[in-house]
Amino acid sequence: RFPELCGPLTRLYPERIVKPRPLPDPPPDVRPLVIPTGAPSLRSGVVFQSRLGSMPMGAAPRAEARSAKKGTEAASFERFEAEAVERLQTSARMVTFNAAPARAGADLLTAADFRAIAAIRDGILRFHCDSAVAPGLLLRFQEYDRTASERLGGPYTGTGVRDDLRLAVTDEQGNYIFRFNQTLSDIAAETSDVAAGEVLATQLRPDVIAQVLGTGMTMTYETAPYYNIANVQRIDLCVPYENAHPSRACSGDRVIQRVGDIIVLHSALSGHPNTLDSQGRITSRNANAPQVDCAGWRGGLRLYCCFGKPQAVHYAIYFKRPSETQWRPVNQSHALNYIPAFAPGYTGTPVGSTLRSVTPSVPLVGGPGQPVPTYDNHDGDLNWIENDLKMILDSGIYRPWDQPGSVQFHIEAYDTAGNMVAATGDTITLYIHNRTAIAGRPNNSKGDIASITMGTTTLGDCGLFELTDPRAALTVRYRAVDPEGFLHSWTLSVKRGNNVDVPVAVASGVGTADASGVVRKGYNPMSPCNFTGTRDEPTADIDDYVLTGLQPTGTANWLPAGHNFCAFGFTLEAYDRVTDGRTANPRVVFWQDLIGLSTGP
């Protein structure tokens, strides 16, 4: 959204500028990229001062030396307290200080960078988004010490020493209160986190990071440090919705409530807002969920359910393909966060699987009477975070990569005797699509750029074209295919030199350039359930390749004024029309051809 940030990010974090790729859940690195604004970060704090603080060494107010005998009347305690307060002569006053660490990467940016950042910040302040409270959200706080490079003015890395403080849980309105104390040794340790030119009294204050913890204490989101926080400070956390998954109240007309953030209540699957077709393909329009059309399911599928029965102490999940008549039990490990068990090193409390003798309502492979993997149910127990999360289904277990298709999942609960509790059974069909572009796998998703030509001249090993015209059309031969028809879109774009966008127009062939000068082609929203990509094009050859001729938009030339050579990157990207209920349309094909364009020696 903000191309002006490309330059600052490249200079601040060159090691983290990588090709986008599908990430695991949770992602391996959620450390934020922090961009300096060049402006002071003003904080307000309360300074408490008493007569004790100004007394000579060894002196003490007389009231502190007094003690109350056992059985003293309440009035005596009140007089004692009043006398102590009077003799301490405590006062409090508000102070304002600059809490920003020295430079923090600002030396790597230019005045133009700061103006661009300021313009973006001003725009964000006027930007409104949908938000909601996050009850039952588990937060962990850490004290952060900057690295040597950060103290010397380098950008925030997140790799400094961290000390876990404690945990907090948001209340039903999403509010939290977190208290912690610094010991004398903690304060002494802070002296090593003071850079040249910084004020010692300010830098002795703690730098605090807030983290959001998901199932099994896995970290799903963390903030940048709040530097030099005051003794009383309000911090409003704004967490991206896909990273916050608190427990929710049971409601609706079925046991299975959501898959990820997509509501699958019967009342929500009538097309308003969502549709789940007979094959298990999802169209979603509910707020705070991925917006998808006729999409398959991929990745870790969070199954949220509510039994609403106090006698439901255990549950089991079963699966089968629609053509099968017998069911197999789900047998994955599952853990939740149990608040009374919180301690250093805590990684979650397992709730299963545990083999038990139960009486399933569905026929099982292997016949009746066999022990079944079950899980402990904690509906309604607020000591368990996300107690409505019954399983994170690893979709790859239930449909291998080369066998996309429908899978039925059935869940039901049991009492202490192993009998099924009435009205706790529910079944849902999901279309699992795990096929992605991996070399060597036949009939797989695929995409590549086969060639770039200028008239009759074909790109050779050297990759250098001498332009016959400053705006000569370059023809790209490429393909992007998902044979199952779950392609969301593909894009063809051009960059020059150090990642500078080159807006292009389509001179011939397939595709249409959008307003930003990127050639795009996506599925037809009027018929969204079968888009294979370039294979659908009438001009595609037997290997699914198509041709698109590209020219700079308007009257622009390939080469900027004053240059007779530049390197160019032609990039093909494709995205699958799948979701895990939290995110959607992951990139599955990335291909880039690098060439040089010249006007001659």
Side-chain angles (χ1 to χ4, degrees):
R1 291 183 57 198
F2 303 108
E4 301 92 338
L5 295 182
C6 181
L9 284 175
T10 302
R11 289 192 290 278
L12 292 168
Y13 297 100
E15 74 285 355
R16 293 183 64 183
I17 304 299
V18 297
K19 297 176 181 178
R21 60 194 184 279
L23 295 176
D25 179 20
D29 188 356
V30 295
R31 292 172 299 165
L33 305 180
V34 180
I35 304 173
T37 64
S41 177
L42 299 181
R43 293 277 191 274
S44 295
V46 181
V47 173
F48 297 95
Q49 194 168 24
S50 70
R51 182 182 176 189
L52 178 62
S54 59
M55 285 184 174
M57 182 69 70
R62 181 168 57 88
E64 288 196 345
R66 297 182 56 180
S67 62
K69 294 181 180 180
K70 186 176 181 180
T72 303
E73 298 293 336
S76 298
F77 283 106
E78 293 176 0
R79 288 195 301 272
F80 174 76
E81 180 182 18
E83 185 177 351
V85 171
E86 190 277 329
R87 289 183 176 275
L88 287 172
Q89 297 180 2
T90 303
S91 63
R93 59 189 176 89
M94 295 291 296
V95 296
T96 301
F97 58 94
N98 181 12
R103 298 187 296 280
D107 293 347
L108 300 175
L109 304 185
T110 66
D113 291 331
F114 286 125
R115 286 193 296 270
I117 293 168
I120 293 171
R121 281 167 54 89
D122 292 340
I124 290 177
L125 292 175
R126 295 190 295 270
F127 176 75
H128 297 284
C129 61
D130 295 327
S131 62
V133 298
L137 196 64
L138 180 59
L139 304 174
R140 177 171 64 195
F141 294 86
Q142 295 180 324
E143 200 280 325
Y144 182 75
D145 290 333
R146 292 172 295 170
T147 65
S149 65
E150 290 175 55
R151 292 195 299 273
L152 291 173
Y156 168 71
T157 65
T159 59
V161 175
R162 301 182 184 210
D163 292 318
D164 288 340
L165 298 175
R166 282 194 304 277
L167 303 169
V169 179
T170 59
D171 65 14
E172 64 274 9
Q173 296 299 320
N175 299 313
Y176 70 95
I177 297 177
F178 181 73
R179 297 182 178 92
F180 71 98
N181 297 320
Q182 283 185 297
T183 65
L184 290 176
S185 60
D186 293 334
I187 296 174
E190 284 295 309
T191 59
S192 64
D193 192 14
V194 181
E198 293 181 333
V199 179
L200 177 63
T202 296
Q203 298 302 323
L204 286 179
R205 298 177 182 269
D207 304 333
V208 173
I209 291 172
Q211 298 176 330
V212 176
L213 301 181
T215 303
M217 303 293 285
T218 56
M219 181 177 60
T220 62
Y221 176 81
E222 79 171 25
T223 68
Y226 290 87
Y227 289 106
N228 305 312
I229 65 169
N231 40 16
V232 178
Q233 184 165 325
R234 176 185 175 118
I235 297 178
D236 292 323
L237 301 177
C238 187
V239 180
Y241 193 86
E242 63 270 18
N243 299 109
H245 295 275
S247 300
R248 302 185 188 180
C250 293
S251 62
D253 48 23
R254 67 183 301 180
V255 171
I256 301 175
Q257 309 257 300
R258 292 177 289 133
V259 179
D261 294 324
I262 296 179
I263 300 173
V264 293
L265 298 172
H266 291 306
S267 56
L269 293 180
S270 58
H272 304 285
N274 302 332
T275 301
L276 188 69
D277 68 16
S278 60
Q279 296 186 55
R281 299 175 297 189
I282 184 68
T283 296
S284 171
R285 291 294 183 275
N286 72 266
N288 296 320
Q291 307 296 292
V292 292
D293 288 313
C294 199
W297 300 87
R298 178 182 298 169
L301 308 179
R302 284 169 158 77
L303 193 67
Y304 291 90
C305 307
C306 286
F307 298 112
K309 304 280 186 176
Q311 61 270 40
V313 294
H314 309 297
Y315 65 91
I317 307 172
Y318 308 93
F319 72 98
K320 74 178 184 69
R321 299 178 183 181
S323 60
E324 300 170 337
T325 58
Q326 295 178 315
W327 298 75
R328 295 177 176 85
V330 168
N331 190 13
Q332 297 181 225
S333 60
H334 185 44
L336 296 176
N337 298 328
Y338 184 51
I339 296 175
F342 287 169
Y346 178 71
T347 58
T349 299
V351 298
S353 63
T354 303
L355 289 175
R356 291 187 174 94
S357 295
V358 298
T359 54
S361 66
V362 295
L364 300 185
V365 172
Q370 57 184 297
V372 171
T374 63
Y375 302 85
D376 299 333
N377 179 43
H378 297 290
D379 272 1
D381 187 345
L382 297 182
N383 282 315
W384 293 84
I385 303 294
E386 275 195 299
N387 54 40
D388 53 344
L389 177 60
K390 303 308 180 187
M391 183 58 64
I392 304 177
L393 296 166
D394 182 351
S395 62
I397 295 175
Y398 310 102
R399 276 288 186 179
W401 71 270
D402 59 344
Q403 299 177 27
S406 301
V407 178
Q408 291 177 297
F409 294 94
H410 177 80
I411 188 171
E412 58 187 36
Y414 307 99
D415 60 21
T416 54
N419 299 313
M420 179 182 168
V421 178
T424 62
D426 199 1
T427 304
I428 191 170
T429 301
L430 303 177
Y431 191 100
I432 306 297
H433 183 290
N434 285 308
R435 177 175 285 169
T436 57
I438 300 178
R441 289 181 173 178
N443 299 318
N444 207 12
S445 299
K446 54 191 174 183
D448 62 274
I449 295 175
S451 65
I452 300 176
T453 59
M454 182 180 63
T456 59
T457 304
T458 302
L459 174 66
D461 291 338
C462 183
L464 176 64
F465 284 104
E466 291 191 7
L467 292 169
T468 57
D469 182 274
R471 292 175 37 80
L474 300 177
T475 300
V476 184
R477 182 172 179 258
Y478 61 100
R479 63 182 174 182
V481 177
D482 176 2
E484 297 300 323
F486 280 86
L487 198 69
H488 172 272
S489 59
W490 53 258
T491 65
L492 187 63
S493 60
V494 183
K495 292 184 182 293
R496 178 180 63 214
N498 188 17
N499 222 27
V500 177
D501 290 318
V502 179
V504 293
V506 175
S508 61
V510 172
T512 303
D514 62 17
S516 63
V518 174
V519 179
R520 300 181 188 273
K521 186 66 179 288
Y523 68 95
N524 180 3
M526 303 303 296
S527 180
C529 290
N530 187 27
F531 179 53
T532 65
T534 56
R535 180 174 294 181
D536 290 349
E537 296 296 328
T539 58
D541 63 21
I542 192 171
D543 294 317
D544 304 319
Y545 287 102
V546 296
L547 301 177
T548 298
L550 301 178
Q551 284 182 298
T553 58
T555 59
N557 298 327
W558 287 111
L559 297 176
H563 294 266
N564 62 1
F565 171 83
C566 226
F568 288 78
F570 287 70
T571 302
L572 172 68
E573 297 173 282
Y575 304 84
D576 270 351
R577 203 176 62 255
V578 297
T579 181
D580 62 0
R582 301 170 64 193
T583 59
N585 308 327
R587 186 172 68 176
V588 292
V589 170
F590 173 90
W591 189 280
Q592 188 174 69
D593 264 12
L594 300 177
I595 67 171
L597 296 182
S598 170
T599 56

